[in-house]
Amino acid sequence: MLTVAIPATAFGTNCYVVAPSEGEECLVIDPGFGVVDRVRETLAQHGLRPAAVLLTHGHLDHTMSVTPVCGGTVGAYVHGDDRYRLRDPRAGLSAPMVAMLQQEFGPAFQWQEPEVVHEVHDGARLELAGLSVGVRHAPGHTEGSVLFDLDGIPQPVRDAGSDLRATTFSGDVLFAGSIGRTDLPGGSGEAMRRSLRDVVLATADDTMVLPGHGRATTIGHERATNPHLQGL
């Protein structure tokens, strides 16, 4: 599986481009601030064609570039409970945050809703770009946060002899050594605890985790070491 991580220019968000191999259709996951040019460069470098944009949730740091990446023809996929955030994700930001972003990005800090949006639900199986993507609803960071699950692991990891068998894109549900915050609008500590217990901890240990922020990890490592998963 070809997997390229592209760091955003704000908030340390990880955008991912995923394809079965070079020269194929691909998925773009969580295109945040300032990634459009680098996504296009990645597509050109590997001969890829975007088939869909997957959003682990609707926060602006994960969706800022969704419309230019979709380009009016490629669909964006988001859980129904976060669909409203794509109408204008700036609406949930504080006035100081909006002012900071306008100062930082100027005219680039504009928003246009994607033309094609598909709502996903818990347990869905998306057949896109030659990949089979499972959807698991994991609210807590936002109402519509999800994990996207794929069989297989990135090619370099497999080539290194890893015994990992699957990959989950965890958005802001699970990080290496931490979890997403729950104190923003739409967040819930109680919902997050349920998601960690019933969704994250139900995942096989031999699953690679590619989070929305920070470095990659595995479910086995997080089960053993992440303090937020202990005692659930």
Side-chain angles (χ1 to χ4, degrees), residues 43 45 54 68 79 88 92 104 109 111 142 148 155 172 186 191 208 214 218:
L43 300 183
Q45 177 183 354
L54 306 186
H79 191 274
D88 187 356
E104 176 74 18
F109 184 57
W111 178 258
T142 67
F148 289 120
Q155 187 71 36
D172 286 6
M208 186 173 192
T218 70

Side-chain angles (χ1 to χ4, degrees), residues 44-131:
Q45 177 183 354
H46 298 284
L48 303 175
R49 306 177 303 280
V53 176
L54 306 186
L55 303 172
T56 60
H57 62 291
H59 279 162
L60 191 64
D61 60 322
H62 292 251
T63 65
M64 184 64 200
S65 297
V66 60
T67 299
V69 170
C70 285
T73 57
V74 174
Y77 291 73
V78 67
H79 191 274
D81 289 349
D82 266 19
R83 172 66 180 85
Y84 76 98
R85 295 179 183 273
L86 294 189
R87 297 186 179 96
D88 187 356
R90 298 171 301 183
L93 300 177
S94 66
M97 177 63 73
V98 171
M100 183 200 77
L101 292 171
Q102 287 174 335
Q103 181 177 12
E104 176 74 18
F105 295 99
F109 184 57
Q110 303 294 329
W111 178 258
Q112 182 179 354
E113 187 175 0
E115 292 186 22
V116 182
V117 179
H118 303 282
E119 296 185 14
V120 301
H121 58 83
D122 184 50
R125 177 64 60 174
L126 308 177
E127 304 296 333
L128 298 166
L131 297 166

Side-chain angles (χ1 to χ4, degrees), residues 183-203:
D183 59 337
L184 299 172
S188 166
E190 181 179 353
M192 178 64 90
R193 286 188 290 275
R194 288 197 301 269
S195 292
L196 296 175
R197 181 191 67 208
D198 299 338
V199 181
V200 170
L201 288 177
T203 309

